[in-house]
Amino acid sequence: MRLDELGWDESRTRDFAPWAGRDDVRPTRVLIEYNHNFRVAGEGGDLDAVVSGRLKHQAVSRAELPAVGDWVVLRIRADEPRGAIIGVLPRRSHFSRRMAGQVTDEQVVAANIDVVFIVMALDHDFSPRRLERYLLLAHQSGAAPVVLLTKPDVEPARLNERLDEVRPVTGLVPLHVVNPRLGQGVDVVRACLGPGRTGALLGSSGVGKSTIINRLAGGELQRTRDVRTADSKGRHTTTHRELVQLPDGSLLIDTPGMREIQLWDAGDAVRETFEDVEAMAADCRFADCRHLAEPRCAVKAAVAAGTLAQARLDSYQALQAELVHLAQQQDERSLLEEKRKSKVMGKALKDFQRRRPRGKL
């Protein structure tokens, strides 16, 4: 396989320049990451790989380690059974979230993506509020978001009603209704891709992500299973993130369903995701209006007039509060990391002074 078939271009060649003179390294792209084991692809074919001890030690956070879609520097030696990843080339985009659980750290779900397909089913999975969170992370990733609504045949009588609920959330983001099980609308996905372009499918379990890949591939690349009809819950057929190449030369990353969509660093993405609320807020009397009980609040006036849904405003305010709390946790984590580094340096200095011969500087 040629590197350009995996998305390599001249800018990647420049990124790789510091290693270009070494005979024991080559550029590769991460196809699979599973329990700290990797499958990478390059001009020499597919290889198994692990992260080198030095790279693991130098990484300040998990986000600095390889993720599916990353371009990495792979070292290959005759005395090593697997390749060793010794570097990660700069990312053009990455979709990340806060790690599930109580750990305050960033988890990169997929890297170097051109387009993010947010897949949501028109059954019990349907949730405009969850879609807002996906869109927030998609805008923050640097990739172009596209929303795909699947399973329109579950409740066809409510399709227009559901679309009316979703359109204020998606705004200018492309929105498509597809039925991959029947092959309907798959061409819409194919048109967003193309040779060397990378897409990523994000959404809950059982919404049809693997079915979309299989339709695009013209065969069963990813296993699929039925969902429970009572609650539309999937069974996590996809258990790990994987980058696959499609017959037309495009690349697509399938991901397991996310039980938690915790934010990490939304930044300007809030303004893009809640463009309607932000536009109304510009007419508020106070620049720092929180849209609670302040006088002459244009956003509250829009809710009263029925031009903005109360649920939309509630979601906006909840996300703002969540981001403030996250920023506090990140600051605390940074302080703890600085203390840890200071301890390590102090211990190293004491060891050096203890071992140094007396009377010598």
Side-chain angles (χ1 to χ4, degrees), residues 121-134:
L122 292 162
D123 53 15
H124 292 287
D125 177 70
F126 182 79
S127 170
R129 304 288 76 84
R130 191 188 320 113
L131 178 59
E132 286 171 340
R133 298 178 75 84
Y134 271 118

PDB file of all heavy atoms in Angstrom, residues 121-134:
ATOM      1  N   ALA A 121     -30.084   7.463  15.738  1.00  0.00           N
ATOM      2  CA  ALA A 121     -31.241   6.729  15.229  1.00  0.00           C
ATOM      3  C   ALA A 121     -32.542   7.417  15.633  1.00  0.00           C
ATOM      4  O   ALA A 121     -32.629   8.049  16.683  1.00  0.00           O
ATOM      5  CB  ALA A 121     -31.220   5.289  15.743  1.00  0.00           C
ATOM      6  N   LEU A 122     -33.537   7.263  14.782  1.00  0.00           N
ATOM      7  CA  LEU A 122     -34.856   7.846  15.047  1.00  0.00           C
ATOM      8  C   LEU A 122     -35.724   6.846  15.803  1.00  0.00           C
ATOM      9  O   LEU A 122     -36.861   6.552  15.414  1.00  0.00           O
ATOM     10  CB  LEU A 122     -35.510   8.255  13.723  1.00  0.00           C
ATOM     11  CG  LEU A 122     -34.815   9.426  13.014  1.00  0.00           C
ATOM     12  CD1 LEU A 122     -35.225   9.496  11.542  1.00  0.00           C
ATOM     13  CD2 LEU A 122     -35.140  10.729  13.723  1.00  0.00           C
ATOM     14  N   ASP A 123     -35.170   6.305  16.887  1.00  0.00           N
ATOM     15  CA  ASP A 123     -35.920   5.397  17.763  1.00  0.00           C
ATOM     16  C   ASP A 123     -35.691   5.885  19.190  1.00  0.00           C
ATOM     17  O   ASP A 123     -35.640   7.087  19.433  1.00  0.00           O
ATOM     18  CB  ASP A 123     -35.485   3.945  17.555  1.00  0.00           C
ATOM     19  CG  ASP A 123     -33.977   3.755  17.681  1.00  0.00           C
ATOM     20  OD1 ASP A 123     -33.296   4.662  18.211  1.00  0.00           O
ATOM     21  OD2 ASP A 123     -33.460   2.695  17.271  1.00  0.00           O
ATOM     22  N   HIS A 124     -35.511   4.982  20.146  1.00  0.00           N
ATOM     23  CA  HIS A 124     -35.283   5.402  21.531  1.00  0.00           C
ATOM     24  C   HIS A 124     -33.944   6.111  21.698  1.00  0.00           C
ATOM     25  O   HIS A 124     -33.700   6.759  22.717  1.00  0.00           O
ATOM     26  CB  HIS A 124     -35.358   4.193  22.476  1.00  0.00           C
ATOM     27  CG  HIS A 124     -36.729   3.595  22.586  1.00  0.00           C
ATOM     28  ND1 HIS A 124     -37.749   4.206  23.265  1.00  0.00           N
ATOM     29  CD2 HIS A 124     -37.248   2.440  22.069  1.00  0.00           C
ATOM     30  CE1 HIS A 124     -38.846   3.458  23.191  1.00  0.00           C
ATOM     31  NE2 HIS A 124     -38.561   2.379  22.468  1.00  0.00           N
ATOM     32  N   ASP A 125     -33.063   5.988  20.724  1.00  0.00           N
ATOM     33  CA  ASP A 125     -31.762   6.668  20.790  1.00  0.00           C
ATOM     34  C   ASP A 125     -31.894   8.166  20.539  1.00  0.00           C
ATOM     35  O   ASP A 125     -30.998   8.934  20.878  1.00  0.00           O
ATOM     36  CB  ASP A 125     -30.820   6.052  19.752  1.00  0.00           C
ATOM     37  CG  ASP A 125     -29.462   6.749  19.707  1.00  0.00           C
ATOM     38  OD1 ASP A 125     -28.698   6.599  20.679  1.00  0.00           O
ATOM     39  OD2 ASP A 125     -29.191   7.453  18.717  1.00  0.00           O
ATOM     40  N   PHE A 126     -33.005   8.601  19.949  1.00  0.00           N
ATOM     41  CA  PHE A 126     -33.172   9.992  19.538  1.00  0.00           C
ATOM     42  C   PHE A 126     -33.097  10.942  20.737  1.00  0.00           C
ATOM     43  O   PHE A 126     -33.852  10.822  21.703  1.00  0.00           O
ATOM     44  CB  PHE A 126     -34.524  10.167  18.828  1.00  0.00           C
ATOM     45  CG  PHE A 126     -34.766  11.563  18.317  1.00  0.00           C
ATOM     46  CD1 PHE A 126     -34.172  11.986  17.146  1.00  0.00           C
ATOM     47  CD2 PHE A 126     -35.584  12.439  19.014  1.00  0.00           C
ATOM     48  CE1 PHE A 126     -34.398  13.274  16.662  1.00  0.00           C
ATOM     49  CE2 PHE A 126     -35.812  13.718  18.545  1.00  0.00           C
ATOM     50  CZ  PHE A 126     -35.219  14.145  17.365  1.00  0.00           C
ATOM     51  N   SER A 127     -32.166  11.880  20.664  1.00  0.00           N
ATOM     52  CA  SER A 127     -31.976  12.849  21.747  1.00  0.00           C
ATOM     53  C   SER A 127     -31.279  14.101  21.215  1.00  0.00           C
ATOM     54  O   SER A 127     -30.067  14.096  21.010  1.00  0.00           O
ATOM     55  CB  SER A 127     -31.147  12.238  22.889  1.00  0.00           C
ATOM     56  OG  SER A 127     -30.768  13.238  23.824  1.00  0.00           O
ATOM     57  N   PRO A 128     -32.029  15.172  20.977  1.00  0.00           N
ATOM     58  CA  PRO A 128     -31.395  16.427  20.530  1.00  0.00           C
ATOM     59  C   PRO A 128     -30.338  16.936  21.500  1.00  0.00           C
ATOM     60  O   PRO A 128     -29.353  17.547  21.089  1.00  0.00           O
ATOM     61  CB  PRO A 128     -32.578  17.392  20.428  1.00  0.00           C
ATOM     62  CG  PRO A 128     -33.764  16.518  20.181  1.00  0.00           C
ATOM     63  CD  PRO A 128     -33.490  15.286  21.002  1.00  0.00           C
ATOM     64  N   ARG A 129     -30.508  16.672  22.795  1.00  0.00           N
ATOM     65  CA  ARG A 129     -29.543  17.160  23.786  1.00  0.00           C
ATOM     66  C   ARG A 129     -28.213  16.416  23.640  1.00  0.00           C
ATOM     67  O   ARG A 129     -27.145  17.005  23.761  1.00  0.00           O
ATOM     68  CB  ARG A 129     -30.099  16.976  25.203  1.00  0.00           C
ATOM     69  CG  ARG A 129     -31.448  17.647  25.448  1.00  0.00           C
ATOM     70  CD  ARG A 129     -31.357  19.168  25.527  1.00  0.00           C
ATOM     71  NE  ARG A 129     -31.202  19.843  24.255  1.00  0.00           N
ATOM     72  CZ  ARG A 129     -32.232  20.167  23.437  1.00  0.00           C
ATOM     73  NH1 ARG A 129     -33.467  19.825  23.754  1.00  0.00           N
ATOM     74  NH2 ARG A 129     -32.006  20.816  22.320  1.00  0.00           N
ATOM     75  N   ARG A 130     -28.274  15.105  23.402  1.00  0.00           N
ATOM     76  CA  ARG A 130     -27.033  14.361  23.185  1.00  0.00           C
ATOM     77  C   ARG A 130     -26.378  14.781  21.880  1.00  0.00           C
ATOM     78  O   ARG A 130     -25.152  14.868  21.773  1.00  0.00           O
ATOM     79  CB  ARG A 130     -27.297  12.855  23.177  1.00  0.00           C
ATOM     80  CG  ARG A 130     -25.987  12.047  23.228  1.00  0.00           C
ATOM     81  CD  ARG A 130     -26.132  10.564  23.037  1.00  0.00           C
ATOM     82  NE  ARG A 130     -27.286  10.015  23.694  1.00  0.00           N
ATOM     83  CZ  ARG A 130     -28.325   9.501  23.038  1.00  0.00           C
ATOM     84  NH1 ARG A 130     -28.335   9.481  21.724  1.00  0.00           N
ATOM     85  NH2 ARG A 130     -29.348   9.010  23.683  1.00  0.00           N
ATOM     86  N   LEU A 131     -27.196  15.065  20.872  1.00  0.00           N
ATOM     87  CA  LEU A 131     -26.671  15.528  19.588  1.00  0.00           C
ATOM     88  C   LEU A 131     -25.900  16.836  19.766  1.00  0.00           C
ATOM     89  O   LEU A 131     -24.859  17.050  19.132  1.00  0.00           O
ATOM     90  CB  LEU A 131     -27.817  15.714  18.599  1.00  0.00           C
ATOM     91  CG  LEU A 131     -27.446  16.243  17.206  1.00  0.00           C
ATOM     92  CD1 LEU A 131     -26.448  15.308  16.525  1.00  0.00           C
ATOM     93  CD2 LEU A 131     -28.692  16.412  16.348  1.00  0.00           C
ATOM     94  N   GLU A 132     -26.385  17.711  20.642  1.00  0.00           N
ATOM     95  CA  GLU A 132     -25.668  18.955  20.921  1.00  0.00           C
ATOM     96  C   GLU A 132     -24.260  18.682  21.422  1.00  0.00           C
ATOM     97  O   GLU A 132     -23.297  19.350  21.034  1.00  0.00           O
ATOM     98  CB  GLU A 132     -26.430  19.782  21.957  1.00  0.00           C
ATOM     99  CG  GLU A 132     -27.676  20.457  21.423  1.00  0.00           C
ATOM    100  CD  GLU A 132     -28.521  21.085  22.514  1.00  0.00           C
ATOM    101  OE1 GLU A 132     -28.358  20.696  23.691  1.00  0.00           O
ATOM    102  OE2 GLU A 132     -29.359  21.946  22.211  1.00  0.00           O
ATOM    103  N   ARG A 133     -24.132  17.692  22.295  1.00  0.00           N
ATOM    104  CA  ARG A 133     -22.822  17.369  22.854  1.00  0.00           C
ATOM    105  C   ARG A 133     -21.884  16.798  21.780  1.00  0.00           C
ATOM    106  O   ARG A 133     -20.708  17.135  21.724  1.00  0.00           O
ATOM    107  CB  ARG A 133     -22.972  16.389  24.018  1.00  0.00           C
ATOM    108  CG  ARG A 133     -23.788  16.953  25.178  1.00  0.00           C
ATOM    109  CD  ARG A 133     -23.952  15.933  26.282  1.00  0.00           C
ATOM    110  NE  ARG A 133     -22.734  15.764  27.041  1.00  0.00           N
ATOM    111  CZ  ARG A 133     -22.363  16.539  28.049  1.00  0.00           C
ATOM    112  NH1 ARG A 133     -23.111  17.563  28.417  1.00  0.00           N
ATOM    113  NH2 ARG A 133     -21.253  16.308  28.720  1.00  0.00           N
ATOM    114  N   TYR A 134     -22.426  15.939  20.932  1.00  0.00           N
ATOM    115  CA  TYR A 134     -21.617  15.410  19.829  1.00  0.00           C
ATOM    116  C   TYR A 134     -21.161  16.537  18.906  1.00  0.00           C
ATOM    117  O   TYR A 134     -20.006  16.579  18.471  1.00  0.00           O
ATOM    118  CB  TYR A 134     -22.409  14.383  19.023  1.00  0.00           C
ATOM    119  CG  TYR A 134     -22.291  12.963  19.529  1.00  0.00           C
ATOM    120  CD1 TYR A 134     -23.403  12.256  19.979  1.00  0.00           C
ATOM    121  CD2 TYR A 134     -21.060  12.311  19.539  1.00  0.00           C
ATOM    122  CE1 TYR A 134     -23.294  10.944  20.429  1.00  0.00           C
ATOM    123  CE2 TYR A 134     -20.946  11.008  19.985  1.00  0.00           C
ATOM    124  CZ  TYR A 134     -22.059  10.333  20.428  1.00  0.00           C
ATOM    125  OH  TYR A 134     -21.948   9.037  20.877  1.00  0.00           O
TER     126      TYR A 134
END
